[in-house]
Amino acid sequence: MDALLKEIARIVGPAQVLRGEDVTARRVDWISGAPCRAGAIVRPADTAELADVMALCHAAQQPVVTHGGLTGLVHGAEADADELVVSLERMTAIEALDEIGGTLTVQAGVPLQAVQEAAEAAGMQFPLDLGARGSSTIGGNIATNAGGVRVIRYGMMRQQVLGLEAVLADGRVVSSMNTMLKNNAGYDVKQLFIGSEGTLGIVTRAVLRLQPLPPVAHTALVACPDFAALTGLLQQLRRTLGDGLGAFEVMWQSHYALLTAESGRHAPPLDPGFPYYALIESLGDDTDAEPRRFTAAIEAAFEAGRVSDAVLAQSEQQRDRLWAIREDIEGLLAHVDPRFTFDISLPIADMEGYVQTLEQAVHARWPAGRVLVFGHLGDGNLHVTVGTARDDAETRRAVEALVYEPLAALGGSVSAEHGIGLEKRDYLHLSRTSEEIALMRTLKQALDPHALLNRHKVLPDIAE
Amino acid sequence: MDALLKEIARIVGPAQVLRGEDVTARRVDWISGAPCRAGAIVRPADTAELADVMALCHAAQQPVVTHGGLTGLVHGAEADADELVVSLERMTAIEALDEIGGTLTVQAGVPLQAVQEAAEAAGMQFPLDLGARGSSTIGGNIATNAGGVRVIRYGMMRQQVLGLEAVLADGRVVSSMNTMLKNNAGYDVKQLFIGSEGTLGIVTRAVLRLQPLPPVAHTALVACPDFAALTGLLQQLRRTLGDGLGAFEVMWQSHYALLTAESGRHAPPLDPGFPYYALIESLGDDTDAEPRRFTAAIEAAFEAGRVSDAVLAQSEQQRDRLWAIREDIEGLLAHVDPRFTFDISLPIADMEGYVQTLEQAVHARWPAGRVLVFGHLGDGNLHVTVGTARDDAETRRAVEALVYEPLAALGGSVSAEHGIGLEKRDYLHLSRTSEEIALMRTLKQALDPHALLNRHKVLPDIAE
């Protein structure tokens, strides 16, 4: 690798090739804190430098791992000693704002939050939002097709991207920097790079679609007596709030109780004894009518027996307190340790039975085991935490089997929003048909025939 | 072809293989009325039959053209005598409705309007909408990534598709029938088949996302004094109506005047002497507040000098009359005959200059020539009609050059929503970089190495 790094240093400058402790001092996984084991970290300044670096790597058959904000959850940033890390941390320019077209053009290393702030400064919003907004980068959001708490209203990252530029494994630059909402001139090749976790190319720039700023958000936490009431509430709100339904986040009782009464981390706004809690938000446009409409919708649900108790946020502070319960991942991790966490999706109608079956199976095997569930119910997405007081590899496999295997029959997914990375590739076949996986391999072979980009990730290795 | 058709008849039944006059009696182009020239038309009943047919075609290296509703505008349905047409006209089942998940599962041959009606019967909406709704099929809408009049609010067809199933050129069935809003398990292979105009596979089934029904639509036609006022109005409405802005359709003066005063087809709701007209619609959720909010927005635009005159629809009938002007394609075609029509997109900020330059160039060459422009301005999409009193091939090439060539420097597209087909493939390079086109060829080669599917379409033939 030394000879190659010397050539690379001529492109990016010697200060932008990190080795030794400059590499191992970095963490590739924010939960485990595992150090970076890569042979070196290269920090190009722009697309042209990265293209030249990749051309050299291609000629030398050097495997490469791309680093963004390192907030991924499926070990997608791990690198072995024979791998080179390309970090986009210097590519943080916000290049252009088109206020008439409603677009923002950025380099891939810009943090999500910086994009949100740039949009707001122009009187618009960039609607993708997730807990890691301060660290996660736009390039990483694109590569993983990030989700978050606004998907029910605005869609995932894929829907926010109008154009992008990517460097292929051989150093060719594919510039597909479309700025328009509509462009049907040939295949939409940018889709290849969205959600393929850096295995088909390295995203270097993007044109993002901005949205109007919704001036009013109204928030309520409600308790539901059973699952049918919960789904009935979702359908009712879709009908009455329509497009205004901006969040429908659900906590199963065990999850809500842990983060409020049991741990004492949050004063419970509602009694912790109800089976389900939903954090509901309406994104309205009319300061006068919106609170009335929202309150009326909650009252109607109460009268229909779909809601047992409710609290409406009366201030920004109260709103933050309600969201703080839902977003307290730290509290969850601290109080269920060790634990295995999962990010799955399945048809909403199947969720009640799925969780019950999982709870029974966990308790049958680990009588003191715990299953905690919350999720973006409106998107079909559940985040499941399983604690068994053990975290060895065998227990992990056993828990993974209980969580993932029932999804196959339900048409569910082993990854709703986190991606596959290294962590889930052995379970990909549960969510995708063999023909889909064969087609993924066809694409990988066509775009990265030497498998240089994010080696071993997403697709299971083929036995030699 | 005869031996192959005998084998195919064994799969689909002899009555489902049309030949001779049953083929030539069909029109492949609703504007020119050109007859179908294919060797035969095969009508499979379902995916399994189509897969078997394609396996036979693959073995025989038989080229195939797929037919949906035949409402395309870029000659994508044309077939030569040595080609076989596969028509999905018998695959019209609406298979499943999930009211909780808000999804509809259909076969690809279902007409768009039938899907809209099925959604409405369930108290929801399928928001894709376009003039050809009665004939165009869901499979065709997917294959061409159809647009229409609701893109500004709901996106194009790509955003309405949660899952799909496709038959590849060799007869393999790729079933990617995801039903969830979120599924990041590996590459999203369904994207390959959306907007690739049947050249990578034949879409056979789909899972569609339904949306809440917006209970109130308010409509106004306004006249603007200049282009800056028009874009200022768009920005203002984005701010004040936010997500509620459901349509922003613009007619240049020449277009509006032709369809009202000049042709006498429609009584002009506003004087036909203003430079620009915008048909604006708000999709609201609140019967009380919506009319006030909409009226206030129009009044504010009037006071700011962005609107010179306006008419608000006071009834469904008035609303229909306003839309009738905008949607009167028949009137346009009847009064500018012969004519060349175009579907382009470009940054909104560049539209005024683009149209002026085009008008000057047309008038310089054809003093009696006409340029008529309307479009989905909020999407960056213009429909341009050019009349020169001639329709020979040389004139067509000359007009195409005037319309398409300036788009390259503006980052515009030679096809906003109609696709490329045969008509625009020689201009693809104006809207896509050579690296993008090379990547499209890589995909075509990987998925359809013998180029059996919709031969010669989308990608220019490589000189042999």
Side-chain angles (χ1 to χ4, degrees):
Chain A
M1 195 183 282
D2 285 349
L4 175 65
L5 290 176
K6 238 183 227 170
E7 289 186 82
I8 288 175
R10 254 179 250 134
I11 295 165
V12 298
Q16 307 309 336
V17 179
L18 310 185
R19 306 210 63 181
E21 279 185 17
D22 288 341
V23 173
T24 53
R26 298 195 171 204
R27 304 278 163 265
V28 293
D29 179 335
W30 67 273
I31 293 183
S32 77
C36 184
R37 296 193 313 260
I41 296 176
V42 174
R43 304 187 294 188
D46 54 28
T47 306
E49 284 193 7
L50 178 60
D52 289 345
V53 168
M54 286 309 301
L56 290 175
C57 290
H58 182 250
Q61 304 265 308
Q62 171 61 52
V64 167
V65 173
T66 305
H67 277 189
L70 301 177
T71 58
L73 292 163
V74 291
H75 305 282
E78 283 187 11
D80 287 328
D82 65 342
E83 288 180 303
L84 191 71
V85 161
V86 164
S87 169
L88 302 195
E89 64 198 75
R90 293 172 64 218
M91 293 173 57
T92 57
I94 294 184
E95 298 182 348
L97 168 74
D98 176 352
E99 293 198 39
I100 296 176
T103 66
L104 196 68
T105 304
V106 302
Q107 281 186 307
V110 177
L112 170 58
Q113 190 169 334
V115 164
Q116 292 174 335
E117 288 167 1
E120 274 161 37
M124 289 177 272
Q125 66 163 327
F126 184 68
L128 190 90
D129 196 26
L130 38 84
R133 64 185 72 82
S135 307
S136 78
T137 64
I138 288 299
N141 297 151
I142 293 173
T144 60
N145 186 28
V149 296
R150 290 279 177 260
V151 173
I152 192 173
R153 173 60 192 82
Y154 294 100
M156 300 186 73
M157 188 64 178
R158 190 181 298 277
Q159 282 180 231
Q160 326 305 329
V161 180
L162 294 175
L164 61 75
E165 179 182 82
V167 175
L168 301 185
D170 60 7
R172 273 181 299 160
V173 178
V174 177
S175 188
S176 191
M177 294 288 279
N178 168 67
T179 64
M180 286 101 47
L181 290 197
K182 283 177 169 171
N183 186 349
N184 273 346
Y187 309 165
D188 191 1
V189 294
K190 71 170 180 285
Q191 304 295 343
L192 287 169
F193 306 103
I194 304 174
S196 53
E197 303 183 39
T199 60
L200 299 180
I202 302 173
V203 176
T204 52
R205 292 163 73 221
V207 182
L208 304 173
R209 181 185 184 183
L210 304 182
Q211 296 280 356
L213 205 57
V216 202
H218 290 280
T219 310
L221 182 73
V222 305
C224 295
D226 54 44
F227 196 78
L230 187 68
T231 58
L233 175 64
L234 174 61
Q235 284 181 278
Q236 178 207 319
L237 292 177
R238 278 210 198 105
R239 264 196 309 274
T240 54
L241 299 183
D243 298 329
L245 182 61
F248 194 89
E249 303 278 307
V250 169
M251 294 172 272
W252 265 240
Q253 195 266 342
S254 55
H255 184 92
Y256 177 81
L258 171 72
L259 290 175
T260 55
E262 189 183 333
S263 67
R265 288 181 68 92
H266 303 270
L270 296 174
D271 184 280
F274 295 103
Y276 299 97
Y277 300 82
L279 187 62
I280 303 160
E281 202 151 270
S282 81
L283 300 174
D285 305 305
D286 188 323
T287 40
D288 288 342
E290 196 59 23
R292 274 188 287 119
R293 191 163 70 104
F294 190 61
T295 309
I298 305 288
E299 281 171 1
F302 198 88
E303 278 159 32
R306 297 192 185 104
V307 164
S308 306
D309 203 356
V311 53
L312 275 80
Q314 303 295 335
S315 67
E316 198 61 23
Q317 208 180 14
Q318 281 184 25
R319 176 175 180 262
D320 290 347
R321 277 209 291 270
L322 295 180
W323 273 103
I325 302 171
R326 160 59 191 79
E327 292 195 326
D328 190 4
I329 308 301
E330 228 171 82
L332 178 68
L333 300 183
H335 283 81
V336 189
D337 189 19
R339 99 298 298 174
F340 305 106
T341 60
F342 301 93
D343 157 51
I344 60 172
S345 58
L346 66 161
I348 299 169
D350 295 316
M351 286 179 174
E352 180 183 23
Y354 170 83
V355 172
Q356 278 174 358
T357 305
L358 177 63
E359 285 173 337
Q360 285 161 10
V362 167
H363 294 148
R365 180 134 179 193
W366 300 279
R370 305 192 67 163
V371 176
L372 300 114
V373 181
F374 71 100
H376 320 291
L377 192 91
D379 314 334
N381 181 191
L382 296 182
H383 293 296
V384 177
T385 304
V386 178
T388 64
R390 308 170 55 108
D391 65 352
D392 55 284
E394 191 193 338
T395 308
R396 164 176 282 280
R397 285 274 157 184
V399 172
E400 285 176 343
L402 295 180
V403 171
Y404 289 142
E405 282 173 8
L407 294 174
L410 300 173
S413 174
V414 298
S415 182
E417 54 182 14
H418 293 171
I420 296 294
L422 284 178
E423 187 179 295
K424 304 186 180 186
R425 58 186 194 143
D426 294 341
Y427 299 102
L428 185 62
H429 69 280
L430 293 173
S431 298
R432 296 295 191 188
T433 59
S434 56
E435 292 81 7
E436 285 177 289
I437 294 173
L439 188 45
M440 293 179 204
R441 286 196 196 285
T442 300
L443 294 175
K444 176 71 176 174
Q445 175 65 28
L447 269 78
D448 182 16
H450 304 301
L452 298 183
L453 296 175
N454 284 1
R455 211 172 45 160
H456 308 312
K457 287 159 193 162
V458 182
L459 291 166
D461 293 327
I462 296 174
E464 311 236 323
Chain B
M1 195 183 279
D2 286 349
L4 175 64
L5 290 176
K6 239 183 227 170
E7 289 186 81
I8 288 175
R10 255 179 249 134
I11 295 165
V12 298
Q16 307 309 337
V17 179
L18 310 185
R19 305 211 65 182
E21 279 184 19
D22 289 340
V23 173
T24 53
R26 297 197 173 204
R27 304 280 163 262
V28 293
D29 179 334
W30 68 272
I31 293 183
S32 77
C36 184
R37 297 194 312 260
I41 296 175
V42 173
R43 304 187 294 188
D46 55 27
T47 306
E49 283 192 8
L50 177 60
D52 289 346
V53 168
M54 286 309 301
L56 289 175
C57 290
H58 182 251
Q61 305 265 306
Q62 171 62 51
V64 167
V65 173
T66 305
H67 277 189
L70 301 178
T71 59
L73 292 163
V74 290
H75 305 283
E78 283 187 10
D80 287 328
D82 65 341
E83 290 181 301
L84 192 70
V85 160
V86 163
S87 170
L88 303 195
E89 64 198 76
R90 293 172 65 218
M91 293 174 57
T92 57
I94 293 184
E95 298 182 348
L97 168 73
D98 176 352
E99 293 199 39
I100 295 176
T103 66
L104 196 68
T105 303
V106 301
Q107 281 186 308
V110 177
L112 170 58
Q113 189 170 335
V115 163
Q116 292 174 335
E117 288 168 1
E120 274 160 39
M124 288 178 274
Q125 66 163 325
F126 184 67
L128 190 91
D129 195 26
L130 38 83
R133 64 185 73 83
S135 307
S136 79
T137 64
I138 288 298
N141 297 151
I142 293 173
T144 60
N145 186 29
V149 296
R150 291 278 178 258
V151 173
I152 193 173
R153 173 61 192 83
Y154 293 101
M156 300 184 73
M157 188 64 178
R158 189 180 298 278
Q159 282 180 230
Q160 326 305 329
V161 180
L162 294 175
L164 61 75
E165 179 182 82
V167 175
L168 301 186
D170 60 6
R172 275 182 297 160
V173 178
V174 177
S175 187
S176 191
M177 294 287 280
N178 168 67
T179 64
M180 286 105 42
L181 289 198
K182 283 176 169 172
N183 187 348
N184 273 346
Y187 310 164
D188 191 1
V189 293
K190 72 171 178 284
Q191 304 295 344
L192 287 170
F193 305 103
I194 303 174
S196 52
E197 304 183 39
T199 60
L200 299 180
I202 302 172
V203 176
T204 51
R205 292 164 72 221
V207 182
L208 304 173
R209 180 185 185 185
L210 304 182
Q211 296 280 355
L213 205 57
V216 201
H218 290 280
T219 310
L221 181 73
V222 305
C224 295
D226 53 44
F227 196 79
L230 187 68
T231 59
L233 175 63
L234 174 62
Q235 285 182 277
Q236 178 207 319
L237 292 178
R238 278 209 197 106
R239 265 196 309 275
T240 53
L241 299 183
D243 298 330
L245 182 60
F248 194 89
E249 303 277 306
V250 169
M251 293 173 271
W252 265 242
Q253 194 265 342
S254 55
H255 184 93
Y256 177 81
L258 171 72
L259 291 175
T260 56
E262 189 183 333
S263 68
R265 287 182 68 92
H266 304 269
L270 297 174
D271 184 279
F274 295 103
Y276 300 96
Y277 300 82
L279 187 62
I280 303 161
E281 202 151 271
S282 81
L283 301 175
D285 304 304
D286 188 321
T287 40
D288 287 343
E290 196 59 24
R292 275 187 288 119
R293 192 163 69 105
F294 190 61
T295 309
I298 304 288
E299 282 170 1
F302 198 87
E303 280 159 29
R306 296 192 185 103
V307 164
S308 306
D309 202 356
V311 53
L312 276 79
Q314 303 296 334
S315 66
E316 197 61 24
Q317 207 181 13
Q318 281 184 24
R319 176 175 180 262
D320 290 346
R321 277 208 291 269
L322 295 180
W323 272 103
I325 302 172
R326 159 61 190 79
E327 292 195 326
D328 189 4
I329 307 300
E330 228 171 83
L332 178 68
L333 300 184
H335 284 81
V336 189
D337 188 19
R339 101 295 300 174
F340 305 106
T341 60
F342 301 94
D343 157 52
I344 59 172
S345 59
L346 66 161
I348 299 168
D350 295 317
M351 286 179 175
E352 181 184 21
Y354 170 84
V355 172
Q356 279 174 356
T357 304
L358 177 63
E359 285 172 337
Q360 284 161 10
V362 167
H363 294 149
R365 181 135 180 193
W366 301 278
R370 305 191 66 162
V371 175
L372 299 114
V373 181
F374 71 100
H376 320 290
L377 193 91
D379 314 334
N381 182 190
L382 296 183
H383 293 295
V384 177
T385 304
V386 178
T388 64
R390 307 169 57 108
D391 66 350
D392 55 283
E394 191 193 338
T395 307
R396 163 175 283 280
R397 285 276 156 181
V399 172
E400 284 175 344
L402 295 180
V403 171
Y404 289 142
E405 283 174 8
L407 294 174
L410 301 173
S413 174
V414 297
S415 181
E417 54 181 13
H418 294 170
I420 296 294
L422 284 178
E423 186 179 297
K424 303 186 181 186
R425 58 185 195 144
D426 294 341
Y427 299 101
L428 185 62
H429 68 280
L430 294 173
S431 298
R432 297 294 191 189
T433 59
S434 57
E435 293 80 8
E436 285 177 288
I437 294 172
L439 188 46
M440 291 178 205
R441 285 196 196 287
T442 300
L443 294 175
K444 176 71 177 175
Q445 176 65 29
L447 269 78
D448 181 16
H450 304 302
L452 299 182
L453 297 174
N454 284 1
R455 213 171 45 160
H456 308 312
K457 287 161 193 162
V458 182
L459 291 167
D461 293 327
I462 296 174
E464 311 237 324

